[in-house]
RNA sequence: GUGGCUGUAGCUCAGUUGGUCAGAGCACCGGUUUGUGGUACCGGGGGUCGUGGGUUCAAACCCCAUCAGCCACCCCA
C-alpha cells in the first residue's frame, strides 16, 4: 500500500456528495416504476466470458479495460465493466427467457481500467434500464423516452443533446462494414495511427475520429444510410416517428457509433459540453444479438446506461432535509431520562440527536451546527415536574412542556 | 497506453533571485458566558512543504525518479 489514499480512479463519496448520488438513483427508481421497469441486481463480478463474448474481444473494454483476476478456485473472474451483459446472463441463468417481455432497472458500481480524468473513474456508478423480448421499434421509443424523462426530472436535460443514429440490422451492418473497410483501406496510409488500428478493430469508429486528416477522409466515405436494407430503414422511421410524437428532440448523427459489438439498429447518446472530454451522460441502444452471443435463444433487447457521477456533476444539489431535534440533558441525573425520551421520540418518527458528552453549552453548539430546529432541555427543574423545556432554535423562544405532551408539541418541527 | 500542467495545514491558497519561509483565511478546539446555540472578542492544536533520491555550506524553492490529481488523445457512463 503506497499511502493512505484511495486506489487510483476510485473515491470516497461523503454525505454531502451522496445527496446528489441518492437523488439520481431515487429519481430513476421512481420513474422506472412508472414505466413498469422493476429493480433487480446482478453480482458485481462474473465469469470473464460473460463480458468478453458479447462485448467483442477487440472492443476497448475487453482488450484493455477489464479488471480481471483468477480466483482461488482458478476461475477467471471480471469486475463488471457494464451491466447489460450481466443482466442478459441473469435472464438465461434464471430461465426468464420464457417470461418475456421483461423490463428491468438496476444501478451500482462498474469497473474499467481507464486513465482517470474529470468525469471518468475506474470505479464509477451507473443506472441501467433494459427492455428484453421486445422487437418492436416502439420499445426503442419507450426506452429513449424514459431516459429523456429522467434527465428532465433531474433538471439536466436542457444541458444535453440527444444524438441518434441507426446501425441497421445485422445484415445491413455487415454489408456496410465491408464497404467501409474497402474504402478506408484505399486511404490507409493517410489515416492516423489510431484509425489504422481501428480499421481492423472497429472500422465504424473511424467515422467518429477527432483527427483532422481522418475527418477529411471520413467525409468522403460511403454513407450507412445507402446500405441499410428496407427493413432497417422502416424500423428507424418508426423510431423517429415515435420520438417526434412525444416531442423528444434529437440530432441525427450518422457518425455516432458505439464501442460494443452487440449493438444494432437504434443507438443514441445524450451528450453535454459541460464535462470536458467526457461528453456522454447517458447512452444505449438496441442489442438484438446479445443474448444469442451468450448462448441463449435469439432475443431482442434495448436499453441504456447513465453515469451517476456525471449526472451528479451536472445537477444542482437537492435541498437539505429538515434538521433534527436535539435532546439536551443538563447534569448527570438527567442522562438516563433523556436517553429514554430520545428513544420514545425516535419511535414516534422524529429525527433526534442526543449528544454523547459535553456540558449544556457544548451540546447547544453541537445542536446548532447540526442544523437542529429545536432543542429539548432536561435538567433537575424539568425532571421534578416530569416535563422538558422545548426551545425553538430559530426564534429563541422556549416553554416548559409536560413529557406526555411532547410529541404533540413537537409536531411542527417534524 | 501516449503527451502536457500541477502537488505547501481538513479546505482555498501566500511563500520574492535556494539563506528565520513554514504562513494567511476558512474550518476545528478552548475561553469570555460553571442551565442555553447562532454574532463578537481572545487564545490554541494541526504540516518531516506528495514520496524517495541527488546537487549545495544551505532546498518548499534546482535536478532525477515515483505516486496522485487535472487537461488532452484514446474510450466511454
Amino acid at each position: 500500500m503506497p499511502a493512505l489514499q484511495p486506489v487510483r480512479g476510485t473515491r470516497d463519496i461523503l454525505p454531502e456528495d451522496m445527496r446528489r448520488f441518492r437523488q439520481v438513483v431515487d429519481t430513476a427508481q421512481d420513474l422506472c416504476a412508472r414505466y413498469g421497469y422493476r429493480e433487480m441486481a446482478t453480482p458485481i463480478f462474473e465469469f470473464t466470458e460473460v463480458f468478453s463474448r458479447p462485448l467483442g474481444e477487440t472492443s476497448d473494454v475487453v482488450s484493455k479495460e477489464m479488471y480481471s483476476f483468477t480466483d482461488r478456485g482458478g476461475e477467471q473472474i471480471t469486475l463488471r465493466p457494464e451491466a447489460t451483459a450481466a443482466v442478459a446472463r441473469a435472464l438465461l441463468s434464471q430461465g426468464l427467457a420464457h417470461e418475456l417481455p421483461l423490463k428491468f432497472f438496476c444501478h451500482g458500481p462498474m469497473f474499467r481500467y481507464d486513465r482517470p480524468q474529470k468525469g471518468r473513474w475506474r470505479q464509477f456508478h451507473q443506472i441501467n434500464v433494459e427492455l428484453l423480448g421486445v422487437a418492436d421499434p416502439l420499445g426503442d421509443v419507450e426506452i429513449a423516452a424514459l431516459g429523456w424523462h429522467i434527465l428532465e426530472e433531474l433538471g439536466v436535460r436542457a444541458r444535453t443533446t440527444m444524438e441518434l443514429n441507426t446501425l441497421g440490422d445485422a445484415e445491413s451492418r455487415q454489408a456496410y462494414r465491408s464497404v467501409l473497410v474497402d474504402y478506408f483501406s484505399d486511404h490507409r496510409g493517410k489515416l492516423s495511427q489510431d484509425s489504422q488500428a481501428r480499421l481492423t478493430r472497429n472500422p465504424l469508429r473511424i467515422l467518429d475520429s477527432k483527427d483532422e486528416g481522418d475527418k477529411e477522409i471520413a467525409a468522403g466515405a460511403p454513407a450507412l444510410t445507402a446500405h441499410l436494407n428496407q427493413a432497417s430503414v422502416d424500423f428507424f422511421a418508426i423510431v423517429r416517428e415515435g420520438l417526434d410524437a412525444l416531442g423528444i428532440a434529437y440530432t441525427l448523427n450518422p457518425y455516432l457509433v458505439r464501442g460494443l459489438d452487440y449493438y444494432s439498429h437504434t443507438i443514441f447518446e445524450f451528450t453535454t459540453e459541460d464535462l470536458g472530454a467526457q461528453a456522454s451522460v447517458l447512452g444505449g441502444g438496441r442489442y438484438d444479438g446479445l443474448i444469442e452471443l451468450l448462448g441463449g435463444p435469439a432475443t431482442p433487447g434495448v436499453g441504456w446506461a447513465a453515469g451517476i457521477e456525471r449526472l451528479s456533476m451536472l445537477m444542482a444539489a437537492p435541498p437539505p432535509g429538515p434538521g433534527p431535534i436535539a435532546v439536551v440533558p443538563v447534569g448527570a441525573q438527567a442522562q438516563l431520562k433523556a436517553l429514554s425520551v430520545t428513544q420514545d421520540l425516535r419511535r414516534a418518527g422524529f429525527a433526534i440527536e442526543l449528544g454523547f458528552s459535553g456540558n449544556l453549552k457544548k451540546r447547544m453548539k453541537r445542536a446548532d451546527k447540526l442544523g437542529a430546529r429545536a432543542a429539548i432541555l432536561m435538567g433537575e427543574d424539568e425532571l421534578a415536574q416530569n416535563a422538558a423545556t422545548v426551545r425553538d432554535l430559530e426564534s429563541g423562544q422556549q416553554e416548559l412542556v409536560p413529557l406526555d405532551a411532547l410529541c404533540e408539541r413537537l409536531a411542527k418541527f417534524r
Side-chain angles (χ1 to χ4, degrees):
Chain A
M1 185 171 67
L4 243 34
Q5 64 189 16
V7 173
R8 184 166 206 199
T10 68
R11 57 174 207 146
D12 303 309
I13 305 173
L14 297 180
E16 203 45 40
D17 291 330
M18 195 52 104
R19 291 170 51 217
R20 282 190 171 82
F21 200 97
R22 200 67 258 160
Q23 174 83 348
V24 172
V25 174
D26 289 351
T27 300
Q29 192 165 32
D30 177 43
L31 292 185
C32 280
R34 280 191 228 172
Y35 283 69
Y37 289 71
R38 297 194 298 157
E39 183 167 2
M40 59 131 14
T42 66
I44 63 169
F45 53 80
E46 300 271 352
F47 291 117
T48 298
E49 283 271 285
V50 171
F51 303 112
S52 62
R53 241 191 296 167
L55 306 208
E57 290 289 350
T58 58
S59 68
D60 276 62
V61 170
V62 173
S63 63
K64 58 187 191 190
E65 294 174 3
M66 293 204 305
Y67 268 96
S68 299
F69 60 94
T70 306
D71 73 10
R72 289 167 186 271
E75 304 287 1
Q76 286 302 310
I77 303 296
T78 292
L79 263 36
R80 64 182 181 195
E82 61 130 43
T84 304
V87 171
R89 190 236 82 218
L91 181 88
L92 297 175
S93 314
Q94 304 300 320
L96 300 176
H98 301 292
E99 298 179 32
L100 300 171
L102 287 167
K103 300 169 161 190
F104 291 126
F105 160 68
C106 58
H107 67 91
M110 305 293 159
F111 306 84
R112 290 185 200 170
Y113 194 85
D114 251 356
R115 180 98 173 237
Q117 214 172 301
K118 180 174 188 169
R120 193 167 88 180
W121 293 272
R122 289 182 175 179
Q123 177 181 334
F124 58 101
H125 299 77
Q126 291 185 331
I127 50 178
N128 289 263
V129 300
E130 315 289 354
L131 172 58
L132 295 152
V134 174
D136 197 281
L138 289 182
D140 305 47
V141 174
E142 177 173 284
I143 280 288
L146 175 52
W148 173 280
H149 197 163
I150 290 172
L151 296 181
E152 185 77 45
E153 194 73 16
L154 290 174
V156 304
R157 213 231 77 234
R159 297 177 71 176
T160 67
T161 302
M162 178 180 172
E163 298 185 42
L164 180 70
N165 192 23
T166 179
L167 297 173
D169 59 18
E171 180 187 296
S172 300
R173 187 177 173 178
Q174 272 313 114
Y176 180 58
R177 184 187 160 112
S178 60
V179 169
L180 209 55
V181 170
D182 288 346
Y183 171 80
F184 283 124
S185 294
D186 291 342
H187 299 79
R188 176 178 260 281
K190 286 184 285 183
L191 288 173
S192 66
Q193 287 275 312
D194 284 330
S195 286
Q196 289 189 23
R198 284 189 273 236
L199 199 46
T200 51
R201 191 187 300 161
N202 189 349
L204 300 211
R205 270 237 160 267
I206 302 177
L207 295 172
D208 202 19
S209 175
K210 289 176 188 170
D211 182 88
E212 286 305 321
D214 289 349
K215 281 184 181 175
E216 278 183 38
I217 300 171
L224 170 62
T225 47
H227 293 81
L228 292 176
N229 57 27
Q230 194 56 45
S232 299
V233 171
D234 294 345
F235 188 98
F236 195 45
I238 296 174
V239 171
R240 281 181 294 164
E241 278 172 23
L243 294 174
D244 292 342
L246 295 180
I248 293 176
Y250 53 84
T251 303
L252 286 176
N253 177 358
Y255 293 157
L256 178 63
V257 176
R258 312 224 81 230
L260 310 178
D261 282 1
Y262 56 61
Y263 283 107
S264 60
H265 283 295
T266 318
I267 55 174
F268 58 89
E269 211 167 291
F270 284 82
T271 59
T272 179
E273 295 184 351
D274 299 334
L275 290 180
Q278 274 56 245
S280 184
V281 169
L282 180 157
R286 179 163 282 277
Y287 49 86
D288 289 349
L290 172 59
I291 309 272
E292 251 180 311
L293 284 172
L294 277 175
T299 307
V302 216
W304 53 250
I308 297 177
E309 287 87 353
R310 290 186 185 176
L311 290 171
S312 297
M313 286 191 284
L314 290 180
M315 60 189 263
I325 295 169
V327 168
V328 181
V330 183
Q333 295 167 8
Q335 288 288 5
L336 279 181
K337 190 61 184 171
L339 189 63
S340 67
V341 165
T342 293
Q343 193 66 357
D344 289 345
L345 290 173
R346 286 174 176 161
R347 291 176 101 86
F350 293 97
I352 306 295
E353 280 292 335
L354 173 62
F356 297 102
S357 64
N359 58 25
L360 174 57
K361 184 188 175 71
K362 283 181 187 168
R363 286 173 184 266
M364 289 300 285
K365 271 189 176 245
R366 174 93 181 142
D368 190 60
K369 202 179 344 170
L370 290 171
R373 299 189 297 160
I376 300 171
L377 284 72
M378 300 175 64
E380 281 181 48
D381 299 349
E382 287 85 356
L383 283 185
Q385 300 177 63
N386 206 32
T389 297
V390 174
R391 180 179 176 88
D392 182 327
L393 291 179
E394 251 173 74
S395 67
Q397 292 185 324
Q398 59 187 50
E399 58 177 332
L400 192 66
V401 178
L403 288 183
D404 53 19
L406 212 44
C407 278
E408 192 184 335
R409 198 62 62 93
L410 290 173
K412 61 175 173 175
F413 297 115
R414 192 186 283 260

